[in-house]
Amino acid sequence: MISLQTTNWPESCSLAPARSGRWLDIAIGLAAMAGILATTAQGIMEQAEADRQDAAIRASESAVNQDDVNRMALPTRETMIGGYAGAPYTYASDVHHTKSGTHDLTVKDVNWEAKPFKSPIYYGARVIRWFEGGRSGAMVDFTHSKTLALLEETKSLKGTLNNAPVPAQAALSDIYRKLEFSHGHNMLTLNGLWRLTRLAPRLWPYIGIGAGINLPHGEVQLTKVRGRTYEYQYTGPVGQALIGIEFRVPRMSYFLEYKFSLAQYNVPLSLRD
């Protein structure tokens, strides 16, 4: 803080000033000058103290900001545990239903829906280990999705069912009472990850590729056959590729990701239920 004070003595004109009056004026002037010097010195000291405090605050903020930068920078190694939700899309696929001597049915281009926000919801969990330098790593990824056939749709058919030829077209609901993996189109994969050149101080794009196994809960039941398949099963391998972007903040990260998975389902029909 700077304090400026000005004192002004107006000139006076006296025809015959007395000696005692001159000494009084000098004493008053000296006292005024001393007051000005004292006030100015106090202002200078206050300003110096304010400058010192500002410098200390800036140094503290700089240290905090540098600490944040250090936390957001890529460490040499780190282990991350994460979870996610999303909205999957399942491409149309052919369904082959076979039983030796009884069924040999092919349904073309069956459409599926996921209902990701209806229980059980779509979710995933993963554990990532980034290696030295933080640019490459490995990930164990578990994804719980769903696939439910749209039974109200009419589809092209080929083959036999219950030893009888099937019509060229029929509604899926005429063939199946249930055709879904609603308690889990579950995929467990091991993946390699690579961070690309960062887009901003906190934004790191990454890519990955991996393979693993399917462990779905199948529910399959024909309309004219007693019993259904309703159980968890191993149904084959799965492969996936992914691309995403990571937003790093101190002690944690957020990520937005697109993942493409390819799975082949060979579902044993137990009819136990």
Side-chain angles (χ1 to χ4, degrees):
M1 179 182 298
I2 300 176
S3 176
L4 298 178
Q5 296 186 9
T6 302
T7 303
N8 181 48
W9 295 277
E11 292 184 357
S12 63
C13 182
S14 175
L15 294 177
R19 182 180 298 272
S20 59
R22 286 199 303 269
W23 285 110
L24 180 61
D25 290 341
I26 293 172
I28 293 173
L30 291 175
M33 291 179 64
I36 292 172
L37 291 174
T39 303
T40 303
Q42 180 182 3
I44 293 173
M45 293 177 63
E46 291 178 352
Q47 181 63 37
E49 178 64 19
D51 290 343
R52 187 191 66 77
Q53 292 178 357
D54 289 344
I57 292 173
R58 286 194 297 269
S60 176
E61 291 177 347
S62 177
V64 171
N65 292 336
Q66 185 61 43
D67 186 57
D68 288 344
V69 169
N70 293 338
R71 292 179 188 277
M72 291 182 293
L74 294 181
T76 55
R77 295 189 184 96
E78 67 176 347
T79 299
M80 304 176 69
I81 299 175
Y84 56 91
Y89 173 80
T90 302
Y91 292 90
S93 60
D94 294 349
V95 173
H96 304 282
H97 191 134
T98 61
K99 182 179 180 181
S100 180
T102 306
H103 310 310
D104 188 7
L105 171 67
T106 299
V107 184
K108 303 292 291 183
D109 297 325
V110 175
N111 289 312
W112 309 84
E113 61 180 341
K115 298 182 178 179
F117 305 113
K118 183 178 179 180
S119 182
I121 65 170
Y122 175 95
Y123 67 88
R126 58 182 49 171
V127 178
I128 302 173
R129 176 62 176 175
W130 292 104
F131 304 137
E132 186 74 30
R135 301 304 293 266
S136 63
M139 173 178 71
V140 176
D141 188 32
F142 173 77
T143 303
H144 175 280
S145 185
K146 291 183 302 197
T147 51
L148 298 86
L150 298 176
L151 299 181
E152 67 276 9
E153 294 187 346
T154 297
K155 293 298 177 183
S156 298
L157 309 178
K158 184 173 67 174
T160 60
L161 186 66
N162 293 323
N163 290 320
V166 295
Q169 288 190 328
L172 273 179
S173 58
D174 294 338
I175 309 296
Y176 291 99
R177 184 174 288 113
K178 288 285 187 179
L179 180 58
E180 61 187 49
F181 303 91
S182 55
H183 288 284
H185 164 35
N186 302 311
M187 296 169 285
L188 182 64
T189 58
L190 178 63
N191 305 265
L193 297 178
W194 295 268
R195 283 189 174 115
L196 307 179
T197 302
R198 70 181 182 181
L199 303 178
R202 301 188 184 192
L203 293 178
W204 289 87
Y206 62 90
I207 58 174
I209 189 170
I213 58 175
N214 290 317
L215 299 168
H217 184 281
E219 186 173 357
V220 181
Q221 185 178 17
L222 293 167
T223 57
K224 298 179 181 180
V225 174
R226 292 178 59 85
R228 65 171 178 169
T229 300
Y230 187 79
E231 59 192 69
Y232 288 98
Q233 300 171 319
Y234 166 73
T235 61
V238 60
Q240 70 176 20
L242 56 93
I243 182 171
I245 187 165
E246 177 189 13
F247 178 69
R248 294 181 65 84
V249 296
R251 295 189 176 89
M252 64 186 303
S253 294
Y254 299 93
F255 63 91
L256 180 67
E257 181 178 289
Y258 172 81
K259 179 162 57 176
F260 178 82
S261 302
L262 182 63
Q264 182 176 358
Y265 272 44
N266 294 313
V267 183
L269 300 178
S270 63
L271 303 179
R272 294 173 182 170
D273 188 12

